[in-house]
Amino acid sequence: MNLGSTLYRKTMLAIAGSPAVKKLSLKYGRRLAGRFIASDHLQGALREVASLNRMGVMATLDALGESIRHPEEAKTYRDEYLKLLDAIADSGVRANVSLKPTQMGLALDAEACYHHIREIVVRAGKYGNFVRIDMEDSSYTQATIHIAVRLHREGLKNAGTVLQAYLRRSEGDARDLIEKGVPLRLVKGAYREPADIAFQRKEETLASFKKLVRMHLDLGVYTAVASHDDAVVGWVKEYAREHGIPKDRFEFQMLYGLRTAYQARLAKEGYRVRCYVPYGTMWYPYYTRRLAEKPANLWLVVKHLLR
Ligand SMILES: Cc1cc2nc3c(=O)[nH]c(=O)nc-3n(C[C@H](O)[C@H](O)[C@H](O)COP(=O)(O)OP(=O)(O)OC[C@H]3O[C@@H](n4cnc5c(N)ncnc54)[C@H](O)[C@@H]3O)c2cc1C
């Protein structure tokens, strides 16, 4: 990350964390986040997924929520995901689901969190579907990996997690998780992390990202490459072509509302593409991470508002 983009990101995350800014944003509500959030409710999100599917793009649905404060909330989210998996099966859309460990109460009761996630994974398995456990800030990395590995040890192979290329530990984690057969989504990383545990320079994160992708592709392990960056997407296409790696050995993942035409174009070129589709009313933390990623995303919000 260069100094400018690091400063922008830190500033945006700090501004978004201020109670006054949050209050104001919530007041003006959904219109601000509309660009990045598919719908307030499940049925609306399924309609968006159906439309992505028509463009050849698959989806992963995220019922927005994180960092809950009461154990009862975790049960509500667990039930929402069970309902979501039933609805995906009923509607026949091509989608799996992504969830956040702190949404299932990881910070409150790790054992209960595990069992909520387990229940969701079991339901997904009934439909031949898949659950991705998103990766949150570094205080949860080890516990999240532990959940994914424990599920696999129990024979629940239809779950995977995420590794963040900016974390120095990710190369070692990738080696270990590939060996254990845990499917991984690779991302740059969206949180503010200190220099002793995370690369701060853009070039270092990119190099780490490429290393993680190469580890997968060279071993013939299916991987999900989640990035909007041409320096990543273009490079993966080139690497796969040069090494004769078939297009069904990996997929590209991008976020709802970002580079939509590009997602459709990649699908048309025969690549597997999956769009991360968030829905629900708990949109504020997700939305602020998108704004912090790059000034251009802030501009997308302004354009959306002006329309
Ligand atoms: C499907 C998905 C799931 C994710 N899950 C997680 C997770 O579990 N945990 C986590 O920490 N993070 C997650 N992230 C976020 C991720 O870590 C990054 O913060 C985010 O993807 C921004 O990095 P980037 O590689 O997309 O590109 P950036 O670093 O934002 O941008 C790099 C370059 O890419 C190009 N670019 C980027 N966006 C656009 C655009 N909209 N239009 C045109 N060009 C563009 C530009 O050239 C830009 O300079 C996820 C991201 C995706 C796509």
Side-chain angles (χ1 to χ4, degrees):
M1 232 162 272
N2 63 32
L3 200 60
S5 63
T6 308
L7 191 64
Y8 172 78
R9 188 164 134 170
K10 283 188 174 161
T11 310
M12 282 307 287
L13 288 172
I15 291 173
S18 120
V21 170
K22 181 169 179 182
K23 200 169 156 200
L24 201 68
S25 303
L26 292 175
K27 184 171 168 207
Y28 288 100
R30 268 284 280 121
R31 279 189 66 211
L32 284 170
R35 172 81 201 199
F36 305 115
I37 312 298
S39 175
D40 283 345
H41 45 81
L42 171 56
Q43 287 311 323
L46 286 176
R47 277 196 295 277
E48 288 299 307
V49 170
S51 129
L52 287 163
N53 285 174
R54 283 194 290 278
M55 300 192 300
V57 174
M58 303 174 287
T60 185
L61 275 154
D62 166 36
L64 285 165
E66 56 195 91
S67 307
I68 57 157
R69 301 231 174 105
H70 306 286
E72 285 307 307
E73 289 176 69
K75 293 185 187 161
T76 307
Y77 280 122
R78 175 201 60 200
D79 293 345
E80 176 66 23
Y81 271 94
L82 296 175
K83 198 169 88 183
L84 172 57
L85 284 160
D86 293 343
I88 291 172
D90 283 349
S91 65
V93 294
R94 291 167 69 209
N96 61 33
V97 301
S98 290
L99 57 79
K100 295 211 164 23
T102 64
Q103 175 181 38
M104 299 295 155
L106 183 59
L108 306 177
D109 180 345
E111 192 58 21
C113 167
Y114 177 74
H115 287 285
H116 292 323
I117 295 178
R118 189 184 185 286
E119 211 176 311
I120 295 165
V121 175
V122 168
R123 179 71 61 93
K126 188 179 130 194
Y127 296 122
N129 210 337
F130 178 82
V131 178
R132 179 77 62 187
I133 307 168
D134 285 348
M135 191 57 81
E136 298 176 83
D137 71 69
S138 60
S139 61
Y140 300 110
T141 309
Q142 194 53 47
T144 303
I145 289 175
H146 179 67
I147 293 170
V149 170
R150 188 172 164 192
L151 288 165
H152 273 249
R153 267 209 309 263
E154 280 199 58
L156 297 165
K157 310 281 185 198
N158 60 316
T161 187
V162 178
L163 289 185
Q164 296 151 326
Y166 65 12
L167 289 189
R168 297 178 191 274
R169 60 175 285 168
S170 287
E171 188 181 343
D173 287 335
R175 210 166 282 125
D176 187 40
L177 291 169
I178 288 173
E179 200 185 304
K180 292 187 164 77
V182 177
L184 296 172
R185 171 200 293 150
L186 304 176
V187 300
K188 284 184 186 166
Y191 299 83
R192 214 163 119 186
E193 301 290 359
D196 56 330
I197 61 161
F199 301 117
Q200 305 291 309
R201 289 178 48 238
K202 203 167 144 182
E203 300 73 26
E204 290 177 305
T205 300
L206 186 60
S208 162
F209 203 131
K210 289 181 179 176
K211 199 181 274 182
L212 297 176
V213 174
R214 262 200 311 265
M215 280 169 76
H216 281 78
L217 295 183
D218 291 352
L219 290 169
V221 177
Y222 189 85
T223 189
V225 179
S227 175
H228 312 93
D229 191 347
D230 286 325
V232 174
V233 178
W235 175 82
V236 171
K237 287 167 76 175
E238 191 64 31
Y239 190 84
R241 209 170 21 242
E242 276 174 7
H243 293 79
I245 296 161
K247 287 175 177 167
D248 63 359
R249 297 308 309 148
F250 57 94
E251 68 184 46
F252 292 117
Q253 297 192 353
M254 296 189 193
L255 300 175
Y256 178 84
L258 294 180
R259 308 204 79 178
T260 310
Y262 189 45
Q263 295 182 33
R265 197 163 76 235
L266 285 168
K268 221 169 171 181
E269 288 171 14
Y271 292 100
R272 291 169 62 82
V273 183
R274 191 179 298 279
C275 180
Y276 187 105
V277 179
Y279 74 92
T281 51
M282 302 302 286
W283 50 266
Y284 190 72
Y286 177 88
Y287 155 81
T288 53
R289 281 195 298 277
R290 300 293 78 80
L291 292 193
E293 267 154 20
K294 56 212 296 285
N297 288 351
L298 187 59
W299 175 234
L300 287 177
V301 169
V302 174
K303 275 205 301 199
H304 185 80
L305 271 182
L306 295 177
R307 266 213 313 271

